[in-house]
Amino acid sequence: MSAMIGLRHLGKSFESKSGEIVKAVGDVSLTIEKGEFVCIVGPSGCGKSTILNMIAGFLPPTAGEVHVDGARVDRDVPASLGYIFQKDTVLPWYTVRQNVGLGLKFAGAARKDTDKKIDRLLRLAHLSNFAEAYPHQLSGGMRRRVALCMSLAVDPKILLLDEPFGALDTHTKTHLHSELLEIWRELGQTIVMITHDLDEAVTLASRVIVLSSPPSHILLEEVIDIPYPRDVFELRQSNQFTAHIQRVWKVLGNQFRAAA
Amino acid sequence: MSSDQVQIAGPEISAGRASRTQSRRRSAGGLRITLTQVLILAVALGVWEALTRITWFQQNTIFDPFFISRPSLIGARIWQWMQPGKNAIWPHLASTLYATGLGLLVGTASGFAVGVMLAQSRFWAKVLNPFIVSMNSMPRIAFVPLITMLFGLGLASKVVTAWFMVFFLVFFNTYKGANSVEQELVNFCRTLGGRRSQILWRVRIPTAAAWTFAALPNAISFALIGVVLAEFVGSTTGVGYLLTTALATLNATDMFASIVILSLVGVGLVYLISAIERRLLHWSSEFRND
């Protein structure tokens, strides 16, 4: 068994302000293998972020179980897990280098041991020239890459990405897609990414999961059989790409129509 | 999330507030602005000086030098005070400055510490909320006679009064600042392996400090008000003491001279704090264009 993440009949209900129980996540069972790149798409409010938060141990499930790397997740953040938020999570009072080294500092690593690793990550993310810059001097896309490096510095086996490129323009986004695939190929983590951008999902993922409106369950698992390494610029013009988009959209579009 | 967050209501000042005109560099066109400012000041002082020299105005309006003195007299008095000797201002100025600085330091440090601590404990924040809110809404000036009675005529009661004025302001701002840290950022640091105490030192405290700094210009004037008040009520030194002596002898020139000195002290302290803030908070986008 090389399952990295296992969701077993996962469910999450919230109590609304007026006291009713709202079921966000209905019943989701999913196994994600080591090294997979899975994208989760679905209508807004279907509990995509909630599922990610439960995998990370930020939120306890109200039904079912989450297993990460062979252990059950229960309130504690699994050790081998990185999480990139949609919001900016770079610390403005630290330089890029200090930010990337934050996790190593948390672990009590000595400075001389961390420098080499930080340099390597900055090179991988094309940030070498900005090591001593402060976040307010960087663009939005660069700050995303800093956040990614911060996560990668602690060697996560799993990366959870919650609409990490949502707020960026298409040009920056496409470049970051290419870099993310490069990094993934080099470091080989298991990636679970949430997005509302179907093109993004098919461009990156080896498997796309389509969720229903709440209470959510899995409607479709589409294996994207376009081989890696992928050229994110060429890819979009291929027939394979279009065929995948059409198949996923058939299911997802119905959800949108039903929700309207 | 907002429903279970404790609301401590106070007169906090947002750290993101951008207007800091006193620290803005004079740029192109700045010379014209400066000249106009000097001109306005000169005209005001000139009118004041001239009218108090015209007999009709002296007799029929408030422009009687006995009541409002005149700029030349005030300037001469300040000059005289600056000369060494038994009338020198220096011991009084030193006394007021020392008490203000000490009160500011103690008030800021304690306000900051309590602000950060309460932001860490939802339970204690809820327990203490009504006390803090009611303490804050009390007129603090009313405590000055009591403080003087408790701490005597001297440095201690001045410092305690200044502390009392400063503490709440700094506390409220720090508390809000420490609570303004977003849950995403805390969760992100948890995935980086950060323990609670590590996140406190590296994330919460720097965020809170930015908010604390935003409160400091106001805290300075509060501290100065506290010290001068304590000097009014019971003291034998300080610029506030000079003011009450001037009232006893009906000496308007001394009063105006004291007020000018106090204003200069306030402005000087605010400049000093902005300089420190610039150094410490250089990463803040607020100073990006400087």
Side-chain angles (χ1 to χ4, degrees):
Chain A
M1 277 288 284
S2 59
M4 203 63 192
I5 299 171
L7 311 181
R8 292 179 202 162
H9 301 291
L10 193 63
K12 179 73 186 176
S13 306
F14 293 101
E15 198 176 327
S16 75
K17 278 225 167 85
S18 52
E20 343 163 39
I21 304 293
V22 179
K23 224 170 176 189
V25 180
D27 184 343
V28 173
S29 292
L30 178 66
T31 304
I32 297 170
E33 303 296 326
K34 188 166 182 267
E36 257 195 294
F37 194 142
V38 172
C39 274
I40 301 177
V41 295
S44 57
C46 74
K48 296 177 295 241
S49 297
T50 307
I51 291 174
L52 225 52
N53 281 329
M54 288 190 285
I55 298 174
F58 299 152
L59 267 182
T62 46
E65 292 177 4
V66 177
H67 289 256
V68 167
D69 203 7
R72 188 173 164 184
V73 178
D74 183 36
R75 283 183 181 275
D76 285 323
V77 179
S80 50
L81 183 141
Y83 199 124
I84 306 292
F85 290 87
Q86 186 174 9
K87 278 206 181 119
D88 203 357
T89 50
V90 174
L91 301 181
W93 45 87
Y94 287 148
T95 61
V96 169
R97 170 177 293 282
Q98 288 168 324
N99 264 298
V100 175
L102 186 66
L104 301 168
K105 208 156 224 171
F106 282 153
R111 172 116 198 230
K112 60 176 168 45
D113 301 328
T114 63
D115 271 358
K116 225 179 182 173
K117 185 167 198 179
I118 296 171
D119 284 334
R120 188 177 141 241
L121 284 170
L122 292 179
R123 219 174 306 124
L124 198 61
H126 307 290
L127 284 168
S128 297
N129 293 332
F130 299 93
E132 305 308 323
Y134 282 90
H136 72 75
Q137 299 166 311
L138 306 179
S139 67
M142 283 158 97
R143 282 207 291 269
R144 299 279 66 203
R145 297 201 296 245
V146 175
L148 185 61
C149 286
M150 288 171 81
S151 254
L152 293 175
V154 293
D155 296 323
K157 292 187 199 162
I158 297 167
L159 270 182
L160 305 179
L161 311 176
D162 188 357
E163 298 194 27
F165 310 127
L168 302 171
D169 59 274
T170 314
H171 172 82
T172 310
K173 214 171 174 174
T174 314
H175 274 282
L176 285 172
H177 288 161
S178 160
E179 283 176 25
L180 181 62
L181 285 178
E182 212 179 294
I183 289 168
W184 175 58
R185 229 159 61 85
E186 172 129 358
L187 304 178
Q189 301 91 352
T190 307
I191 297 184
V192 184
M193 174 163 151
I194 285 170
T195 177
H196 56 252
D197 179 343
L198 192 48
D199 284 2
E200 178 172 86
V202 175
T203 303
L204 296 172
S206 53
R207 187 153 54 122
V208 174
I209 310 290
V210 182
L211 289 182
S212 72
S213 330
S216 55
H217 53 275
I218 295 174
L219 288 174
L220 176 73
E221 291 187 36
E222 174 87 357
V223 174
I224 311 296
D225 50 14
I226 305 171
Y228 297 99
R230 294 178 185 170
D231 181 331
V232 298
F233 299 94
E234 290 287 319
L235 185 70
R236 289 176 187 237
Q237 294 169 23
S238 73
N239 294 331
Q240 252 176 317
F241 182 82
T242 319
H244 282 302
I245 295 274
Q246 277 170 352
R247 265 205 298 279
V248 176
W249 181 248
K250 208 183 245 167
V251 177
L252 192 59
N254 277 334
Q255 286 298 306
F256 289 155
R257 193 176 311 149
Chain B
M1 198 163 88
S2 60
S3 60
D4 54 17
Q5 210 141 63
V6 187
Q7 295 290 318
I8 288 190
E12 70 284 338
I13 297 151
S14 162
R17 204 183 56 168
S19 68
R20 256 162 224 266
T21 37
Q22 82 269 13
S23 62
R24 200 166 289 157
R25 288 266 168 276
R26 301 225 156 89
S27 54
L31 185 66
R32 239 178 70 203
I33 291 171
T34 311
L35 284 178
T36 312
Q37 287 165 338
V38 171
L39 191 70
I40 290 172
L41 189 67
V43 167
L45 292 177
V47 168
W48 183 1
E49 181 77 32
L51 293 187
T52 54
R53 288 177 184 278
I54 299 170
T55 319
W56 187 87
F57 280 101
Q58 288 179 357
Q59 285 168 354
N60 297 295
T61 67
I62 60 151
F63 285 95
D64 179 347
F66 178 78
F67 289 112
I68 64 156
S69 188
R70 68 167 66 106
S72 58
L73 286 173
I74 297 163
R77 179 57 42 87
I78 292 173
W79 178 252
Q80 193 189 330
W81 276 351
M82 283 163 66
Q83 309 309 315
K86 79 173 175 43
N87 283 330
I89 187 91
W90 305 119
H92 295 292
L93 189 56
S95 169
T96 299
L97 264 180
Y98 186 56
T100 306
L102 213 55
L104 195 61
L105 197 71
V106 176
T108 306
S110 57
F112 183 77
V114 177
V116 169
M117 275 193 297
L118 277 200
Q120 285 295 99
S121 164
R122 199 164 282 172
F123 173 76
W124 282 108
K126 271 187 176 158
V127 168
L128 296 178
N129 186 38
F131 298 107
I132 289 165
V133 169
S134 49
M135 287 271 275
N136 183 53
S137 49
M138 273 190 250
R140 264 162 276 171
I141 294 172
F143 285 83
V144 177
L146 182 68
I147 290 170
T148 310
M149 197 170 96
L150 287 170
F151 294 94
L153 307 175
L155 181 66
S157 53
K158 293 192 209 178
V159 174
V160 171
T161 309
W163 168 81
F164 200 49
M165 302 286 284
V166 167
F167 173 80
F168 289 97
L169 184 68
V170 172
F171 163 75
F172 282 120
N173 246 46
T174 309
Y175 179 79
K176 285 276 164 176
N179 269 335
S180 73
V181 179
E182 299 196 15
Q183 191 57 42
E184 280 92 347
L185 189 55
V186 173
N187 278 342
F188 180 61
C189 289
R190 283 172 67 198
T191 67
L192 299 181
R195 289 186 302 273
R196 209 178 138 88
S197 62
Q198 289 175 318
I199 294 172
L200 173 69
W201 282 105
R202 295 190 181 275
V203 181
R204 281 193 197 277
I205 287 182
T207 308
W211 284 63
T212 307
F213 264 105
L216 283 190
N218 279 5
I220 289 167
S221 56
F222 273 44
L224 205 53
I225 290 169
V227 169
V228 172
L229 265 175
E231 287 172 348
F232 283 172
V233 173
S235 181
T236 52
T237 55
V239 182
Y241 166 74
L242 286 183
L243 272 165
T244 45
T245 316
L247 177 63
T249 56
L250 298 179
N251 187 333
T253 303
D254 276 10
M255 286 189 198
F256 274 109
S258 306
I259 291 167
V260 170
I261 301 268
L262 283 176
S263 313
L264 291 178
V265 166
V267 171
L269 284 174
V270 168
Y271 264 101
L272 184 72
I273 294 288
S274 339
I276 296 172
E277 185 180 13
R278 256 159 203 288
R279 278 198 86 89
L280 287 179
L281 304 189
H282 62 91
W283 46 265
S284 164
S285 55
E286 204 174 305
F287 304 122
R288 190 182 309 188
N289 297 321
D290 290 348

